[in-house]
Amino acid sequence: MARVEHPGSGRVLEVSSDQPGIQVYSGNFLDGASAGKSGRLYRMGDAFVLEPQMFPDTPNHPDFGSLRLEPGETYRNRIVLR
């Protein structure tokens, strides 16, 4: 589904899922007020998130499938990070 590489360090992240779409967030909301495990403050653009899901505009496109979850049904989203 997605592969992200950092040539400088050689790090690679591969994401697989049973969902057809993926949402990407770039961390542009970070303002330097939150610290990570090392105590370093996170600034704008210091992070990104890959979130497998249905396509964002699915309710307006019947050919994308349905997002509807009926009472008693269980939502599952299988995600594999490698």
Side-chain angles (χ1 to χ4, degrees), residues 11-76:
R11 289 180 290 186
V12 175
L13 171 64
E14 293 181 342
V15 180
S16 300
S17 174
D18 58 1
Q19 299 298 301
I22 192 163
Q23 192 75 263
V24 178
Y25 301 97
S26 61
N28 285 339
F29 60 89
L30 297 171
D31 61 4
S34 299
K37 290 181 181 179
S38 67
R40 182 173 169 263
L41 296 177
Y42 292 130
R43 302 163 302 152
M44 185 181 293
D46 278 352
F48 72 95
V49 177
L50 301 173
E51 181 181 319
Q53 57 182 241
M54 290 292 286
F55 299 118
D57 201 23
T58 292
N60 298 311
H61 298 274
D63 54 316
F64 284 2
S66 176
L67 291 171
R68 187 176 181 101
L69 189 64
E70 297 292 341
E73 291 182 337
T74 301
Y75 172 76
R76 297 193 195 291

